[in-house]
Amino acid sequence: MKKTVYLNERDSFLYHGRHLFFSNMLLLDWSGSGFSFNFKGTGFNIFFGEHSGEQPVYIRVEVDGGGKCGILPAAIGGSSDRFAVSDGKERVVIDGLSDRRHTVRVIRITEGADKLCVRGVEIDGEMLPPPLESVRRIEFLGDSITCGYGILGDESTTAFNTYEEDSSLAWAYTVAEKFGADAHFECISGKGIVCNCEGAQDITFSKFFQIASRGGEPWNFASWVPQAVVINGGTNDGWGGATAEQFEQGASELISLIRSKYTYAQIIWCYGLMGDVFMPVLKKLFKKLGESDQKLHLLPLAPLNPKKGEIGGVGHPSIKANNRVASAVIAKLKSLKIW
């Protein structure tokens, strides 16, 4: 028996990442945001609100813990596939499943200011109570590296294409999976601590850390508190021409802002994958701030190595490079004994 369940029926879904409800639909603006549900039956389909954009938005649909291309192996019987949403008239149809209990996770995996609204799911079977939220929580702040920009491309790619971006293959998502953690990902390509890659001081990390969506609505920090915050930022400030003094002030302000919202969180800043011009600044700053805050950590990253296949599209990290970063962050988090 088919049943339609709308995404604003909160008792039926577990939501991932920062999200809002727009005209009774689930609005997913951030990479890595999405929802999960459980059902018993043989299939389902997902339907959307109207959508427009220069390029399609891509989502990943995981059924029964299907693995991807990262560190984790695919679960037995699981599946994971990418689907494009161009105008919102599409339906993602998954059928032919064995008639039993299934767990489904749907994640937006490409970035952009174009709203992606999910209206509901139609179940060929029976809806069950949603999965439980993990007690482990990690928040990630980043730029194109965290977005998975160019991760499916190669060195010959010279322009941004959404079909070559996949945040679920990027380092941050892999880290969250490794720990079985619920995660929030606030990341926008080209943005920096002080300025963007072209030098404009428009949307900085400190600004988008405070919003619920790309529309600018304020985020309620009391609604979700992580045990760890991982920052990967500073690359675009180097390209944008920020001075060492400007960067130090901006980085200090960002750390203070995060600490004001999350009193007890471990804060890790990883940097160096695509340029390390501000490494001396960060080392000096973390040494100074670390005297009074022992939960601040700087994690230097070795630069991309073309000889090891670490370059993807438009000079960005490949899957191999992202896995290297993920392993370094995982090791650091393990050393802190948070969980």
Side-chain angles (χ1 to χ4, degrees):
M1 183 177 71
K2 293 185 181 297
K3 179 181 180 181
T4 298
V5 187
Y6 294 95
L7 261 296
N8 64 343
E9 298 182 33
R10 302 179 186 230
D11 291 341
S12 297
F13 300 95
L14 170 65
Y15 305 107
H16 304 295
R18 294 186 180 182
H19 59 275
L20 295 173
F21 289 94
F22 177 78
S23 298
N24 294 321
M25 297 180 289
L26 179 65
L27 169 61
L28 303 177
D29 260 4
W30 300 104
S31 302
S33 60
F35 61 95
S36 293
F37 63 93
N38 292 324
F39 80 101
K40 181 182 183 299
T42 59
F44 62 92
N45 66 74
I46 307 166
F47 54 101
F48 308 90
E50 183 178 345
H51 174 78
S52 62
E54 293 183 2
Q55 298 191 51
V57 169
Y58 283 81
I59 63 171
R60 183 175 291 281
V61 180
E62 300 175 13
V63 181
D64 297 331
K68 301 182 298 301
C69 300
I71 294 175
L72 300 182
I76 296 175
S79 66
S80 176
D81 294 290
R82 290 163 45 102
F83 297 90
V85 181
S86 296
D87 59 17
K89 296 179 182 178
E90 302 89 348
R91 284 211 175 202
V92 172
V93 179
I94 306 293
D95 56 15
L97 301 176
S98 58
D99 190 3
R100 60 177 178 83
R101 178 190 176 99
H102 300 281
T103 297
V104 179
R105 178 164 58 167
V106 180
I107 298 293
R108 175 173 180 158
I109 58 174
T110 55
E111 60 179 316
D114 305 317
K115 287 181 168 58
L116 175 63
C117 293
V118 187
R119 190 177 297 278
V121 296
E122 186 180 65
I123 304 296
D124 190 2
E126 174 191 2
M127 200 73 168
L128 300 175
L132 296 176
E133 182 179 356
S134 174
V135 297
R136 301 178 176 185
R137 294 179 172 183
I138 311 176
E139 185 160 3
F140 298 91
L141 295 179
D143 49 34
S144 56
I145 298 173
T146 305
C147 292
Y149 185 118
I151 197 169
L152 296 175
D154 57 39
E155 293 184 64
S156 66
T157 304
T158 59
F160 172 71
N161 300 297
T162 54
Y163 64 80
E164 293 180 328
E165 184 173 66
D166 191 334
S167 62
S168 70
L169 300 178
W171 68 276
Y173 195 90
T174 303
V175 170
E177 277 197 322
K178 179 64 176 179
F179 287 100
D182 187 37
H184 284 197
F185 308 87
E186 293 87 61
C187 48
I188 305 177
S189 286
K191 305 306 179 185
I193 310 305
V194 175
C195 63
N196 67 19
C197 59
E198 297 178 343
Q201 299 180 10
D202 56 349
I203 303 176
T204 62
F205 276 43
S206 291
K207 289 181 180 178
F208 67 70
F209 171 63
Q210 300 181 76
I211 59 177
S213 82
R214 298 285 287 269
E217 301 87 351
W219 173 247
N220 176 14
F221 286 96
S223 66
W224 192 89
V225 180
Q227 294 103 10
V229 178
V230 186
I231 307 162
N232 188 343
T235 298
N236 292 305
D237 299 270
W239 288 103
T243 66
E245 292 75 16
Q246 289 173 326
F247 185 80
E248 181 176 4
Q249 180 178 345
S252 179
E253 290 174 354
L254 175 61
I255 293 170
S256 295
L257 175 62
I258 295 171
R259 178 58 74 218
S260 72
K261 303 301 182 182
Y262 307 136
T263 304
Y264 303 107
Q266 299 281 357
I267 300 174
I268 302 170
W269 192 311
C270 51
Y271 175 69
L273 195 64
M274 294 181 66
D276 60 357
V277 64
F278 294 119
M279 188 64 76
V281 175
L282 286 172
K283 286 183 176 180
K284 174 186 173 184
L285 179 62
F286 272 75
K287 181 178 180 180
K288 176 183 176 182
L289 296 179
E291 293 175 357
S292 58
D293 189 341
Q294 296 183 352
K295 293 186 176 183
L296 296 180
H297 314 276
L298 178 61
L299 180 60
L301 301 173
L304 293 175
N305 190 335
K307 295 181 180 180
K308 294 184 177 180
E310 292 193 341
I311 306 295
V314 200
H316 281 72
S318 64
I319 291 174
K320 187 173 183 179
N322 272 274
N323 285 346
R324 169 166 67 84
V325 175
S327 295
V329 176
I330 288 167
K332 183 63 179 180
L333 285 167
K334 284 184 176 180
S335 74
L336 298 177
K337 296 181 170 48
I338 303 171
W339 303 294

